[in-house]
Amino acid sequence: MAPSSQRRSSYSKRAQYNLFTGYIVAGVGALIGAVLLGISFFQPDLFGGPRSAAQDAASPATETVAVARTESKSLWESIKGYYRAGSKNAELKREMELARIRLAEAEAVRQENVRLKGLLDLQEENREPIAVARLIGSASSSTRRFAYLGAGTDDGVAVGMPVRSSRGVVGRILETGSLSSRVLLLTDSESVLPVRRAGDEVVAFAEGRGDSLLRIKLINLGINPLQPGDLFVTSGAGGYYPPGIAVAIVTELTDDGGLARIVSDPAATDYVAVEPIFEPEAALGATTPIEEELGD
């Protein structure tokens, strides 16, 4: 019978020598480790030099890794900032537009206060809103511009009361129910609002066109003094609205005035405030044809 080609290590002199040598090396390594460990306990500063040398040798590699990590983080932040730049820019534009509107309103109110106090010695009074409610719907007809408000006579709402948002004028109450009301929007073709340019005495009428724009018709015809970007505010004439509330911004010039986009877009408005009529007696003489028709 032929002998097996595979033998155990104990039958090979070479394998026995390799195993013995491995034991010797492992024992010597363990002994050296034990000696070094004991020395480190009794003289910890003895290996400071080798540790420093090893750290200096590894420093370029670790520094390269740190730089790569920092640059990759900066690159990731740059990519995130690039994708978020659009929304940030849009948010900043909205904030700047709102700040510009508030600044123009404040200037208009200041001028109005100076003029009224100088003429009539009027004192300031706080105007508390009658109700704050949500716009719950709008008219489906394309020729008229109505909105529906979730507040009615039970909340103190009455016909003619102005409706405004945090940005500016929305419209005024046209009809009331117990729990809801119908609002005549500024953009309705029957809506006419006396306005003036913020910052001076250029007066005009803001007429609805049945779309998203208003027609600014100057009262004093001649050289058109308007410029795109002019902000128009309520003048206080007509009795419905107090002076100095933002209405529209001119976008295009015409022969008798200009076209303007409304500041407070009802489609982008959630909650609105219903305020008392500024001058009820004056408002009685400023009814529009649609209000006269409803009154009949």
Side-chain angles (χ1 to χ4, degrees), residues 3 19 54 63 167:
L19 184 61
E63 183 177 357
R167 295 176 64 89

Side-chain angles (χ1 to χ4, degrees), residues 37-251:
L37 180 63
I39 294 174
S40 65
F41 282 138
F42 294 101
Q43 294 183 353
D45 297 335
L46 184 62
F47 298 100
R51 281 198 301 267
S52 299
Q55 184 176 357
D56 292 340
S59 179
T62 56
E63 183 177 357
T64 302
V65 173
V67 170
R69 183 174 62 251
T70 303
E71 290 181 353
S72 63
K73 183 177 180 181
S74 300
L75 178 61
W76 177 247
E77 293 294 334
S78 300
I79 295 174
K80 289 173 58 179
Y82 174 79
Y83 283 103
R84 296 177 58 189
S87 59
K88 290 294 183 181
N89 288 339
E91 183 178 354
L92 289 175
K93 286 182 179 179
R94 289 192 296 267
E95 292 179 357
M96 289 180 61
E97 183 180 4
L98 186 59
R100 180 174 178 270
I101 292 170
R102 288 287 174 266
L103 183 61
E105 283 186 343
E107 179 62 21
V109 171
R110 187 190 67 80
Q111 292 184 357
E112 186 71 16
N113 288 341
V114 171
R115 182 175 58 198
L116 293 178
K117 288 181 180 180
L119 293 176
L120 303 176
D121 194 23
L122 293 178
Q123 295 182 352
E124 295 181 355
E125 58 178 357
N126 294 326
R127 294 176 54 83
E128 295 293 335
I130 299 298
V132 176
R134 186 193 298 268
L135 290 178
I136 57 177
S138 60
S140 59
S141 174
S142 61
T143 59
R144 303 309 304 272
R145 291 293 181 267
F146 300 123
Y148 298 95
L149 181 68
T153 55
D154 292 349
D155 303 292
V157 178
V159 174
M161 289 184 174
V163 179
R164 61 172 298 180
S165 69
S166 59
R167 295 176 64 89
V169 176
V170 174
R172 64 176 182 268
I173 301 297
L174 185 63
E175 292 179 333
T176 58
S178 299
L179 302 176
S180 63
S181 305
R182 186 160 67 147
V183 181
L184 179 70
L185 300 177
L186 289 181
T187 53
D188 187 83
S189 58
E190 296 290 339
S191 174
V192 179
L193 176 63
V195 294
R196 65 182 178 88
R197 185 166 63 177
D200 57 23
E201 300 301 323
V202 176
V203 292
F205 287 104
E207 301 178 351
R209 304 198 323 160
D211 55 12
S212 60
L213 297 177
L214 300 179
R215 180 182 295 106
I216 304 297
K217 297 186 67 174
L218 296 173
I219 295 179
N220 299 323
L221 299 179
I223 298 177
N224 191 346
L226 303 184
Q227 296 292 333
D230 287 345
L231 175 67
F232 276 83
V233 298
T234 54
S235 64
Y240 287 105
Y241 304 92
I245 305 177
V247 176
I249 297 176
V250 175
T251 58

